[in-house]
Amino acid sequence: MYLKTDFKFKKFELDTIDENVFAADFDDSDWRTVRIPHDWAVEGDFSAENDPTESQIIEDGMKKAQIITGWTGGLPMVGAGVYRKWVKIEKTDKVFLEFDGVMWNSRIYINGKQAGQNHFGYKSFSVDITDFVNFGEENLIAVYAEVRENSGRWYSGAGIYRNIRLVSKPEAHIAYNGVWVRQSYLDDNMALMDISVELVNTSGFTAKITAPDGQEFELTTKGNAVLLELENPILWDVDSPKLYTAEITLENGYSESVKFGIRKCEFTRQGFFLNGRYLKMNGVCMHHDLGAIGAAVNVSAIKRQIEIMKGMGVNAWRTSHNPPTPELLQLCDEMGILVMDEFFDEWRLEKVKNGYAKTFDEHAKQDVIDIIKRDRNHPCVIMWSTGNEIREQWWEEGWITARDLYDTVKATDPTRPVTAGLSAYPDCYTKHIAFYTDIVGLNYKPHTYTTNYNKYTDQVLLGSETESCISSRGIYHFPAEIRIGQYRSDDLAVSDYGLEAPPWACYAEREIAAQKDNPFVMGEFIWTGFDYLGEPTPYYTEWPSRSSYFGVVDLAGLPKNRYYLYRSVWTDIPTLHIFPHWNWENKIGENVPVHVYTNFDEVELFVNGVSQGKRTFAEKKTEFADRQDEWRNQIERFRLMWDNVVYEPGEITAVAYKDGKEAMRKTVKTAGAPHSIRLSAYSQSIAADGEALNFITAEVVDKDGNICPNADNRITFTATGAEVYATDAGDQRETETFLRPDKKAMSGMLVAVVRSTETVGEATVTATADGLQSGTISFKCE
């Protein structure tokens, strides 16, 4: 049974809580009522006073410690929170509370007595509360959670941000995460599945297997494992994610079921093969926050993220830099996404004052085991990552920790390879950590692929974190130049030309070129798919910058230009994307470079009907006049550029040709004055469960329907049949709370997050702004 509603909640200052708040007779009548999952921090306003950090970010090349604002998002997550809920629990042999994640150090109380605790905010855990329960009566469940200052390098969220379940079991039952359907053999005609079950107070079980086509198989054993032989198995694949179900039943009738898939993953010197087919991993790194709703888990928001990413050709996901919520893996199973499941951002050597390093020695081994046991049945999970850019890479004895983690993974799950995101080069080799991985994951090292492949002839390579291009959606700075370094602008934005990156990173085309030229590299995981809260590189010390610029998609889920670069390279979807916008009243008669992303052979550009010439993609060069010449060649292999376009109002048109014939055209017009609001809904229907979300995009358009690219009107949303939960324009500099029905548009666009009620029917959303015609849209709640 999921516990979601009627939780009483109050936030406290750290180290100020009286233990009486966990007692049954404590008066919580003036506390707020919240719904789980819940993130207390996202409810607040952004402020530079929220968790400022004096730190030297070695990974970013910082030479000395600085006061960093916005590193953890500028939201009020530091503090302690207490949740209280009364639940009637009927008589049963055993009763457990299962938590998918509580951020961070948590303690669980039943009727005023502590029943359990957990240290790691990203870890799922179970608490046996049997001895603390008064059966047949109302019982108080109280949960304490705390987030200390300087506990992370990005926004973690706060509180019970993942789901809770109350689970009743008989004396003879299955242990928490105790079922493993392990694929032990697979060929063209047959699969062997080893079904093992961690049994408590019993032996023997029956396993009923249901195939994707409905066929059923049943096996019974007196022990704790049974071998299933499946003829002509139906394989799980990114293009056809077919799932089996195993229902495990004990003699007393107690049962649990798990989903699993059958697939063949080969990690070779020639690249990655899935079910015998060569496949590049077109991957994204993703933090766990969901933009305007913070870290609180929401299935419809996660599914939207995956769908948007699949739309540009993504087939792989890295859970940066900690284990994900179970719902993400369930969706990746169902939607055909490969997953790199990552454990830690720190080992023993700390990056932040109150991070995981404080608990590593005591808990890391068991945490790895528990994470693997939870996630091992998911066919989407194809590799385990023991860490990200851990500082032990530079440490002479760091290899010992790497070895111990590697051995723990292999002892727990020998069926999947081990990797890590390694950034210290060549130290990760000379200090030997790279040799305690099955797959060497290199962060931002496209220039080393060929050298390492030839030098270390028993290793396979992966771009575990790549590009880190930075940009702000729809904002452009001139001149449009390649800039690799700590880029700065007075408006705290970064140009959407997609040519800027921090000193340790690169523009997207450099990594794309390296992947194309080195097919033995199994793929890349770009940093990042979506913008995320916190880590506002390059504006570490400038406020109000408070969220990342790295995303291919902004925090609101609106694509930046770079989205179409990947779509043109990673998919066969006909793509012709032209930028920038064409409203440059202050640049009449001046140059405005025009760029195009496409997967057609040739493109011709027109300005008000006058041809600016045709462009085709550049060939790969091997000799260069200088560094700029090399960079320019890499970029021109994947984008088309007209550098000397003289701006005049009107329109620009890109005409794409295939085999010499026109195949597609796109036009961008100079927009007139803002006239009205145009709405579109991400979903035509959502569940009427009080939890499902819809995302309504508002565009400020002129009288002819052209988006006004400079519009920043304040738009107010109202709804009937649903509620306006949050608003976001994807602006990394916005300091108003997300949880309000109005906000300023950025680059002519704004997104409202609308949540269903539990009433079935039609929901209608209206958007208004001073001086503009309103917009209205409807969708179903069912």
Side-chain angles (χ1 to χ4, degrees):
M1 178 177 71
Y2 281 89
L3 301 180
K4 287 184 173 290
T5 59
D6 300 323
F7 278 82
K8 290 290 189 176
F9 168 76
K10 187 172 183 178
K11 183 184 175 185
F12 299 83
E13 296 295 322
L14 287 166
D15 305 318
T16 64
I17 291 179
D18 189 310
E19 290 291 311
N20 288 332
V21 299
F22 307 116
D25 59 359
F26 181 82
D27 182 7
D28 59 14
S29 59
D30 63 342
W31 289 22
R32 288 196 301 126
T33 301
V34 300
R35 183 185 182 100
I36 303 300
H38 174 250
D39 176 0
W40 78 58
V42 78
E43 301 167 345
D45 285 316
F46 295 90
S47 170
E49 302 304 314
N50 289 327
D51 200 22
T53 304
E54 183 175 7
S55 183
Q56 178 185 0
I57 309 175
I58 296 173
E59 293 74 17
D60 290 0
M62 196 174 286
K63 302 302 182 183
K64 62 180 180 180
Q66 302 179 50
I67 299 296
I68 303 170
T69 56
W71 201 13
T72 55
L75 285 167
M77 66 183 191
V78 173
V82 177
Y83 298 82
R84 292 166 52 94
K85 178 180 174 64
W86 288 92
V87 180
K88 187 175 183 179
I89 302 176
E90 301 297 344
K91 178 61 180 174
T92 186
D93 292 338
K94 304 289 290 183
V95 61
F96 301 85
L97 280 174
E98 295 179 357
F99 295 85
D100 290 339
V102 182
M103 191 65 68
W104 274 77
N105 298 314
S106 58
R107 302 196 298 269
I108 315 305
Y109 296 81
I110 306 296
N111 299 320
K113 296 180 180 179
Q114 185 173 339
Q117 62 185 17
N118 184 58
H119 59 287
F120 189 16
Y122 294 93
K123 178 183 171 180
S124 298
F125 61 100
S126 177
V127 177
D128 185 346
I129 63 172
T130 308
D131 294 341
F132 302 88
V133 168
N134 299 317
F135 288 107
E137 302 177 13
E138 293 283 332
N139 290 265
L140 174 68
I141 298 172
V143 178
Y144 168 87
E146 69 174 31
V147 178
R148 295 199 169 267
E149 69 282 356
N150 201 198
S151 61
R153 298 191 302 118
W154 56 87
Y155 177 77
S156 66
I160 308 177
Y161 74 112
R162 293 179 179 173
N163 279 304
I164 311 173
R165 289 171 296 279
L166 182 68
V167 179
S168 297
K169 296 183 179 182
E171 284 289 347
H173 59 271
I174 298 169
Y176 178 60
N177 294 325
V179 178
W180 188 11
V181 184
R182 172 182 168 180
Q183 180 180 310
S184 57
Y185 178 80
L186 175 66
D187 63 21
D188 293 339
N189 302 309
M190 187 264 289
L192 284 179
M193 310 303 293
D194 182 357
I195 305 172
S196 59
V197 182
E198 188 177 345
L199 299 167
V200 180
N201 297 322
T202 188
S203 62
F205 62 88
T206 296
K208 178 183 176 182
I209 309 301
T210 303
D213 62 1
Q215 291 189 69
E216 295 183 348
F217 312 88
E218 193 167 291
L219 304 95
T220 300
T221 179
K222 295 297 183 180
N224 65 354
V226 65
L227 195 63
L228 169 67
E229 182 177 325
L230 286 173
E231 294 184 357
N232 301 314
I234 301 171
L235 301 184
W236 183 95
D237 199 286
V238 293
D239 297 326
S240 181
K242 301 296 186 181
L243 296 171
Y244 286 75
T245 301
E247 184 178 6
I248 309 301
T249 304
L250 309 186
E251 287 186 356
N252 60 8
Y254 177 79
S255 68
E256 292 185 12
S257 64
V258 298
K259 299 280 189 181
F260 68 95
I262 302 171
R263 77 284 189 275
K264 185 177 184 180
C265 295
E266 297 173 279
F267 305 86
T268 78
R269 291 274 291 169
Q270 289 71 47
F272 173 66
F273 292 80
L274 179 62
N275 301 326
R277 172 173 59 98
Y278 176 85
L279 182 70
K280 272 279 190 181
M281 295 182 201
N282 299 332
V284 288
C285 300
M286 292 284 285
H287 278 314
H288 70 291
D289 80 70
L290 296 168
I293 65 172
V297 166
N298 184 278
V299 171
S300 50
I302 298 171
K303 185 177 181 182
R304 174 180 177 250
Q305 284 192 333
I306 296 173
E307 288 172 341
I308 291 171
M309 291 291 94
K310 281 177 69 73
M312 73 173 196
V314 166
N315 61 21
W317 205 275
R318 179 187 180 206
T319 67
S320 314
H321 296 296
N322 295 106
T325 186
E327 288 84 355
L328 174 69
L329 298 183
Q330 291 162 12
L331 287 168
C332 289
D333 280 347
E334 296 166 4
M335 299 172 72
I337 298 289
L338 308 170
V339 174
M340 179 198 299
D341 200 334
E342 193 155 75
F343 302 148
F344 308 123
D345 188 49
E346 289 182 346
W347 291 353
R348 289 186 170 89
L349 301 182
E350 69 176 36
K351 297 178 182 178
V352 292
K353 181 174 66 175
N354 287 309
Y356 186 80
K358 283 185 172 296
T359 60
F360 183 92
D361 283 331
E362 182 179 359
H363 293 290
K365 181 176 181 178
Q366 189 60 51
D367 285 346
V368 168
I369 293 170
D370 292 343
I371 294 163
I372 291 174
K373 288 177 66 175
R374 189 199 71 172
D375 296 347
R376 61 192 172 181
N377 289 309
H378 291 281
C380 67
V381 176
I382 62 168
M383 67 182 88
W384 307 109
S385 172
T386 55
N388 169 68
E389 297 183 357
I390 41 85
R391 291 188 171 177
E392 280 82 349
Q393 293 175 98
W394 291 276
W395 190 25
E396 291 293 342
E397 296 182 350
W399 66 271
I400 298 174
T401 307
R403 178 202 62 190
D404 292 346
L405 288 171
Y406 181 89
D407 289 347
T408 299
V409 174
K410 288 302 186 181
T412 311
D413 176 17
T415 71
R416 291 176 174 90
V418 174
T419 189
L422 303 176
S423 57
Y425 184 83
D427 300 77
C428 62
Y429 285 102
T430 59
K431 303 296 193 297
H432 308 301
I433 282 182
F435 301 108
Y436 292 96
T437 62
D438 301 305
I439 300 168
V440 179
L442 293 173
N443 289 7
Y444 310 107
K445 300 296 181 290
H447 53 288
T448 72
Y449 292 154
T450 302
T451 299
N452 292 331
Y453 181 77
N454 292 330
K455 183 174 182 179
Y456 304 104
T457 56
D458 60 343
Q459 293 190 331
V460 293
L461 299 176
L462 176 69
S464 45
E465 188 171 315
T466 63
E467 61 121 304
S468 274
C469 183
I470 48 179
S471 58
S472 301
R473 178 187 53 80
I475 295 177
Y476 299 92
H477 296 154
F478 300 96
E481 295 178 340
I482 303 168
R483 303 182 191 181
I484 308 301
Q486 292 294 350
Y487 179 72
R488 291 286 193 276
S489 176
D490 291 342
D491 64 358
L492 301 187
V494 182
S495 177
D496 205 11
Y497 273 110
L499 297 171
E500 284 80 30
W504 36 266
C506 62
Y507 43 86
E509 288 90 344
R510 185 178 188 185
E511 181 71 36
I512 292 172
Q515 294 288 330
K516 291 283 186 183
D517 297 340
N518 298 287
F520 54 83
V521 181
M522 289 184 291
E524 65 166 313
F525 290 80
I526 61 177
W527 191 266
T528 52
F530 273 58
D531 279 341
Y532 55 93
L533 288 164
E535 202 172 22
T537 308
Y539 303 111
Y540 297 109
T541 59
E542 294 92 335
W543 185 258
S545 180
R546 47 69 168 165
S547 59
S548 89
Y549 297 75
F550 295 115
V552 176
V553 173
D554 74 15
L555 203 65
L558 302 173
K560 304 177 189 179
N561 290 320
R562 203 157 80 257
Y563 182 90
Y564 299 95
L565 166 63
Y566 286 105
R567 196 174 84 168
S568 71
V569 174
W570 285 354
T571 81
D572 295 325
I573 300 170
T575 299
L576 181 64
H577 179 71
I578 183 172
F579 59 99
H581 61 75
W582 208 238
N583 276 65
W584 301 104
E585 291 78 5
N586 63 339
K587 294 184 71 66
I588 293 176
E590 299 180 22
N591 282 345
V592 175
V594 177
H595 293 189
V596 167
Y597 294 134
T598 188
N599 45 17
F600 290 102
D601 301 336
E602 185 178 45
V603 173
E604 186 172 10
L605 178 69
F606 295 86
V607 177
N608 294 329
V610 178
S611 176
Q612 307 297 301
K614 293 182 177 180
R615 298 283 189 274
T616 57
F617 294 109
E619 297 293 328
K620 177 187 176 182
K621 291 169 60 175
T622 57
E623 295 183 4
F624 306 98
D626 53 30
R627 178 62 63 84
Q628 283 286 333
D629 181 40
E630 178 183 3
W631 292 347
R632 177 87 181 191
N633 177 246
Q634 289 170 338
I635 287 172
E636 288 185 331
R637 291 175 62 188
F638 304 100
R639 80 164 87 181
L640 304 177
M641 300 188 289
W642 290 258
D643 293 325
N644 299 311
V645 178
V646 177
Y647 176 73
E648 58 183 56
E651 65 181 38
I652 52 174
T653 298
V655 177
Y657 299 92
K658 184 177 179 62
D659 299 326
K661 298 180 180 179
E662 181 176 332
M664 192 174 186
R665 65 170 55 208
K666 286 290 179 70
T667 296
V668 175
K669 296 183 178 181
T670 302
H675 176 269
S676 56
I677 302 171
R678 181 170 61 207
L679 297 184
S680 59
Y682 186 78
S683 301
Q684 298 306 306
S685 66
I686 62 174
D689 60 2
E691 190 169 285
L693 303 177
N694 206 346
F695 298 84
I696 309 300
T697 299
E699 297 171 325
V700 179
V701 298
D702 67 9
K703 62 182 179 58
D704 297 319
N706 300 304
I707 294 180
C708 300
N710 298 316
D712 61 355
N713 304 70
R714 179 171 289 276
I715 299 174
T716 300
F717 295 89
T718 56
T720 59
E723 64 170 332
V724 178
Y725 182 69
T727 51
D728 185 19
D731 190 341
Q732 296 106 336
R733 307 155 299 177
E734 174 61 67
T735 58
E736 291 181 332
T737 178
F738 290 125
L739 304 190
R740 58 183 295 155
D742 66 304
K743 198 169 270 88
K744 283 187 174 184
M746 185 182 84
S747 301
M749 302 178 75
L750 177 66
V751 173
V753 183
V754 178
R755 185 167 62 183
S756 71
T757 65
E758 296 183 359
T759 302
V760 173
E762 186 174 77
T764 299
V765 178
T766 300
T768 60
D770 290 345
L772 301 182
Q773 289 186 6
S774 62
T776 300
I777 197 166
S778 298
F779 58 91
K780 294 179 180 179
C781 296
E782 52 192 14

